[in-house]
Amino acid sequence: DTGVSQNPRHKITKRGQNVTFRCDPISEHNRLYWYRQTLGQGPEFLTYFQNEAQLEKSRLLSDRFSAERPKGSFSTLEIQRTEQGDSAMYLCASSGQGSEKLFFGSGTQLSVL
Amino acid sequence: GQNIDQPTEMTATEGAIVQINCTYQTSGFNGLFWYQQHAGEAPTFLSYNVLDGLEEKGRFSSFLSRSKGYSYLLLKELQMKDSASYLCAPIDGGYKLSFGAGTTVTVRA
């Protein structure tokens, strides 16, 4: 068990560019979550999947954000036309069948210049 | 929706005890987690309460009162390595955790 893996660890981009992040959950976990965290705040829920189905998406999430989990294993989070306000740590987490306990990856730190 | 309230900062001396309070309002409640997060790192699991009462795990204990929408995390015999942010996270229906802003605990020698 290698834990939840995220890449890249850091991403610097220019405003207006598109970025994509990848998350590989713990292999037997069927639920996968994306959170965003800024300095001094707790993680803010973005979306979550059960297997390949996206079950919930935050109302605060702009339509520039899209997430997929095509085969119920790894997931990608894409941000189109990035803005400076998108700068944050993007955390992925997974949980197993019948458990709400989240295991977090190390996150992707996005900086939009 | 969620309304989670916990103190922003707390400072204590090595060897002391600190209690971090959390109040919450949820539209559906399935339990409450506490996570620890060191600066620049991912949150890690500390405790989980689904029923009222105290759960003890070594130096850390967590208490829940569902009727009051209240929980606390108790850190005993504080060590320098306990300096971190502590996140209160009630489950808001289903399997979704919502996190408070966190309480930064600073342990002084």
Side-chain angles (χ1 to χ4, degrees), chain B residues 35 65 103:
Chain B
Y35 276 77
S65 169
T103 299

Coordinates of all heavy atoms in Angstrom, one line a residue, chain B residues 35 65 103:
Chain B
Y35 N -8.5 15.8 12.5 CA -7.3 15.6 11.7 C -6.2 16.5 12.2 O -6.5 17.6 12.7 CB -7.5 15.8 10.2 CG -8.1 14.6 9.5 CD1 -9.5 14.4 9.6 CD2 -7.3 13.8 8.7 CE1 -10.0 13.3 8.9 CE2 -7.9 12.7 8.0 CZ -9.2 12.5 8.1 OH -9.8 11.4 7.5
S65 N -20.8 15.6 21.6 CA -22.2 15.7 22.1 C -23.0 16.1 20.9 O -23.0 17.2 20.4 CB -22.3 16.8 23.2 OG -23.7 17.1 23.4
T103 N -7.3 24.8 14.1 CA -6.7 25.5 15.2 C -5.2 25.3 15.2 O -4.8 24.1 15.3 CB -7.4 25.0 16.5 OG1 -8.8 25.2 16.5 CG2 -6.7 25.6 17.8

